[in-house]
Amino acid sequence: NLTYTGSGDARVALMESEWIGNYEKNVLDGSEPRTGDNVVNILNLGKWTGDYTVHNQIAGATLGMNAVSIEQDGLWNGNYKASEHNDADNVRVNYISVLNNSTWNGNLEISGNSQLNQTIAMGGKWNGDFTGKDIVLDASEEKSAGNLSIFGSATWTGAAKTNTENAINLSIFSESTWEVTADSTIRNLNLDGTSKIDFVNTPILRTNGYSTMTVLGNTIFGDGAQINLRTNLAQNSGDLLVIKGKKKK
């Protein structure tokens, strides 16, 4: 395990190697004006089994960067959790990328003064849930918990959860798919003509009933975009899509 308490930078790189252990960073006092960067890179068939956890609880601190990058057939089995102090001077952005046929199996949770900037692309796969917990952002952030972009024949299998109106903006492009596994809430949804949202082929849903996907803001549908919902006409039940904003083409 790598456990670091302090405000400096901490970086790990795995290339054609394997690490079994957790990454944990804690910044609990105000002795430094910033909380530091926390970066893990998994490259070229690298493999990591372990959790990424960052706790920054300094009121008034300038926040550094949280980042995990998985590229070139890399594999990560573990959860990501970042909690930030609500009174920090700026928003902590969490950068996560799953690229070039890489895979991440794990859940993601951010809280406090946090936002997500995540990319799943070029054959990348993410199997896990996003949770935005008690996210506190000002009006200039437009109640968005950040952005998740899926493109280049990539796949996300999971759910998007939030206990506030600060939900993620989701964009799905270029023959990519979101397989919805449970009730989910999105801020804004953007699909092109090759996008697919699939409730039908998700294994978890075959035994656990139907799900509702709620879009709090606007939805843009490209011609040909697919949203596959299950329905049972005899029982008047099925999966449900709720769009509270505007639907555009």
Side-chain angles (χ1 to χ4, degrees):
N1 295 334
L2 171 60
T3 302
Y4 180 25
T5 300
S7 57
D9 298 332
R11 298 175 181 268
V12 175
L14 302 174
M15 182 178 295
E16 297 182 348
S17 58
E18 182 176 359
W19 176 30
I20 299 176
N22 299 322
Y23 177 104
E24 184 172 0
K25 173 78 172 292
N26 296 282
V27 183
L28 302 175
D29 63 65
S31 60
E32 297 290 338
R34 64 187 296 269
T35 61
D37 294 338
N38 310 289
V39 180
V40 177
N41 293 319
I42 307 168
L43 307 168
N44 294 345
L45 298 172
K47 182 179 179 181
W48 177 25
T49 301
D51 295 335
Y52 175 106
T53 306
V54 177
H55 301 288
N56 295 290
Q57 302 295 335
I58 304 176
T62 300
L63 300 176
M65 176 178 64
N66 292 337
V68 174
S69 178
I70 316 163
E71 302 181 38
Q72 300 162 331
D73 298 290
L75 173 63
W76 177 24
N77 297 312
N79 300 317
Y80 182 110
K81 185 175 182 179
S83 58
E84 310 300 341
H85 199 287
N86 294 345
D87 297 326
D89 285 347
N90 63 341
V91 174
R92 166 81 83 165
V93 179
N94 297 271
Y95 297 92
I96 303 174
S97 56
V98 186
L99 310 174
N100 307 118
N101 300 310
S102 296
T103 301
W104 174 24
N105 300 310
N107 297 319
L108 162 62
E109 180 183 304
I110 60 174
S111 61
N113 210 36
S114 297
Q115 275 195 324
L116 179 67
N117 189 332
Q118 182 176 2
T119 301
I120 312 169
M122 309 311 295
K125 296 180 180 179
W126 176 32
N127 303 305
D129 296 339
F130 166 81
T131 300
K133 183 179 179 181
D134 301 327
I135 294 179
V136 180
L137 299 170
D138 61 29
S140 66
E141 303 299 335
E142 297 181 348
K143 294 189 178 298
S144 165
N147 301 298
L148 170 56
S149 299
I150 309 171
F151 59 90
S153 300
T155 304
W156 173 30
T157 302
K161 308 171 185 178
T162 180
N163 64 347
T164 70
E165 291 188 356
N166 293 303
I168 55 170
N169 299 314
L170 177 61
S171 298
I172 307 174
F173 300 125
S174 62
E175 300 182 341
S176 295
T177 302
W178 176 22
E179 296 183 340
V180 183
T181 60
D183 291 348
S184 295
T185 302
I186 298 296
R187 189 67 200 170
N188 295 298
L189 179 64
N190 194 354
L191 308 176
D192 75 359
T194 66
S195 307
K196 184 167 70 170
I197 296 177
D198 197 351
F199 291 78
V200 177
N201 293 326
T202 305
I204 295 175
L205 286 180
R206 292 174 183 166
T207 57
N208 286 5
Y210 300 110
S211 293
T212 297
M213 183 177 71
T214 303
V215 182
L216 300 175
N218 299 326
T219 300
I220 298 176
F221 287 101
D223 289 338
Q226 298 181 43
I227 298 181
N228 297 322
L229 306 171
R230 298 179 305 164
T231 185
N232 187 325
L233 296 177
Q235 298 181 3
N236 193 28
S237 60
D239 299 311
L240 180 64
L241 171 63
V242 178
I243 300 176
K244 294 188 175 182
K246 296 179 180 180
K247 178 182 176 182
K248 305 176 183 179
K249 278 195 173 184

